Amino acid sequence: MTSKNTLSFGQRASNHPNALVKRLFQIAEQKKTNIVLSADLTTTKDLLEIADSLGPYIAVLKTHIDILSDFDTSTIQGLTALSQKHDFLIFEDRKFIDIGNTVQKQYKGGVLRIHDWAHIVNASVLAGEGIIQALDQTIHDHAGVSEDRAILILAEMTSKGSLAIGDYTRASVEIARKYPQTVMGFVSTKELSSYSSDQSTVTADNEDFVVFTTGVNISSKGDALGQQYQTPTSAMAGGSDFLIAGRGIYAAADPVAAVKEYQAAGWEAYEQRCSRATSSA
Ligand code: 5BU
């Protein structure tokens, strides 16, 4: 199987079976951005302010909704309104990691009601396939919004000493292949379509997983707690599609200037990849 990621987002949108992925590719093409802002702010006011000022330059806003000190319904109303105003998707970086039955309750219910508002969520397959089955079932149970919801499997992590490697990463790919309607791709440091230990699970011709790469920073190599960064250019060279950046953007002296710099770097690398593929075809 060859990766589809040398095609343009527009081409991938027209062939893609998943409605939310089509929409994501269309947003990226229209706004000329493959930036996912990791908006790790801890009050609703700060979160909504940064989402409003940087919204025009991003394709997706990634949240950690449980780090807010004042979460309430106005948080979600505000985020949803800004997602419509600026045309970005919302990705709750919840990293579900429990038995399926518990995860369904965490996804649908509780105070956070994540399924109501997050277009994208992510999950680890450490506990096995049941977790993806559970999320997939919840999405399918909600006809009407189901075409607006998708899952990323957390196939690798950026932190030093991460154990999300090797067999774990291969299992992530194999499980993803079984849920093409709801698993849109991976959070990983690179493109993973060649990862598989089991040839029987391979490989529909139209398979086109979307790769979200976190740990992206233009000016830092890491932090004091094990985070490891790569640049937008190196992430794109590894086959990433969407670049997740947090402190490199929102903690910059001028976040609007910073997001524009990340947007330009990510988009230039994307266009170069497409044009290299065209000229070698
Ligand atoms: P930063 O400020 O760009 O370092 O923030 C990175 C964000 O991405 C932060 O919200 C993390 O929780 C998230 N993250 C990560 O850093 N590494 C990973 O492997 C995964 C998520 Br999965």
Side-chain angles (χ1 to χ4, degrees):
M1 140 91 199
T2 50
S3 164
K4 297 279 189 296
N5 73 7
T6 52
L7 300 175
S8 71
F9 290 146
Q11 288 166 309
R12 290 169 75 183
S14 59
N15 297 328
H16 211 284
N18 181 299
L20 190 70
V21 174
K22 272 183 193 290
R23 190 166 146 209
L24 173 62
F25 285 148
Q26 282 157 358
I27 290 172
E29 283 282 5
Q30 207 203 333
K31 294 172 78 176
K32 296 197 184 312
T33 181
N34 62 344
I35 298 300
V36 179
L37 174 68
S38 183
D40 298 332
L41 289 309
T42 55
T43 66
T44 296
K45 178 173 175 292
D46 288 350
L47 174 63
L48 297 183
E49 272 176 14
I50 205 93
D52 200 14
S53 58
L54 305 189
Y57 313 102
I58 63 174
V60 180
L61 183 87
K62 183 174 85 62
T63 53
H64 280 299
I65 211 71
D66 59 352
I67 66 174
L68 289 168
S69 56
D70 58 353
F71 172 85
D72 66 18
T73 50
S74 72
T75 315
I76 297 310
Q77 282 162 2
L79 276 179
T80 303
L82 291 171
S83 130
Q84 286 160 1
K85 174 178 173 190
H86 296 299
D87 202 17
F88 58 72
L89 301 183
I90 303 174
F91 164 21
E92 165 57 19
D93 187 2
R94 174 61 179 75
K95 300 184 180 71
F96 292 110
I97 188 166
D98 211 315
I99 62 165
N101 185 263
T102 301
V103 161
Q104 280 189 334
K105 294 176 185 165
Q106 292 171 324
Y107 185 29
K108 280 190 294 198
V111 274
L112 300 177
R113 305 188 65 86
I114 293 167
H115 175 270
D116 283 355
W117 52 269
H119 301 101
I120 302 169
V121 293
N122 56 354
S124 162
V125 294
L126 188 69
E129 188 177 331
I131 186 167
I132 302 300
Q133 204 182 347
L135 294 169
D136 174 78
Q137 205 175 73
T138 302
I139 292 173
H140 278 114
D141 282 352
H142 290 75
V145 283
S146 62
E147 65 282 359
D148 222 17
R149 298 288 178 266
I151 306 158
L152 290 166
I153 293 184
L154 200 166
E156 292 182 319
M157 290 199 67
T158 54
S159 36
K160 204 166 175 191
S162 163
L163 303 178
I165 54 174
D167 285 346
Y168 170 87
T169 303
R170 271 187 284 281
S172 301
V173 177
E174 284 159 16
I175 291 172
R177 289 192 169 122
K178 298 189 192 171
Y179 297 86
Q181 290 189 326
T182 45
V183 175
M184 65 188 281
F186 306 103
V187 180
S188 57
T189 64
K190 58 185 179 302
E191 197 270 316
L192 298 173
S193 62
S194 59
Y195 266 64
S196 180
S197 52
D198 175 1
Q199 291 306 309
S200 68
T201 65
V202 182
T203 310
D205 269 352
N206 60 355
E207 177 176 293
D208 183 11
F209 290 123
V210 186
V211 177
F212 279 56
T213 298
T214 186
V216 173
N217 195 304
I218 288 177
S219 55
S220 166
K221 294 256 174 284
D223 69 12
L225 296 173
Q227 175 68 301
Q228 305 175 111
Y229 288 125
Q230 57 178 327
T231 63
T233 315
S234 72
M236 292 302 289
S240 177
D241 297 310
F242 288 87
L243 305 172
I244 304 175
R247 286 165 286 182
I249 296 176
Y250 71 76
D254 181 346
V256 173
V259 76
K260 287 181 177 173
E261 188 187 0
Y262 281 71
Q263 178 187 12
W267 202 251
E268 187 186 325
Y270 158 73
E271 286 190 322
Q272 278 174 5
R273 182 165 79 195
C274 295
S275 67
R276 266 197 307 274
T278 314
S279 59
S280 66

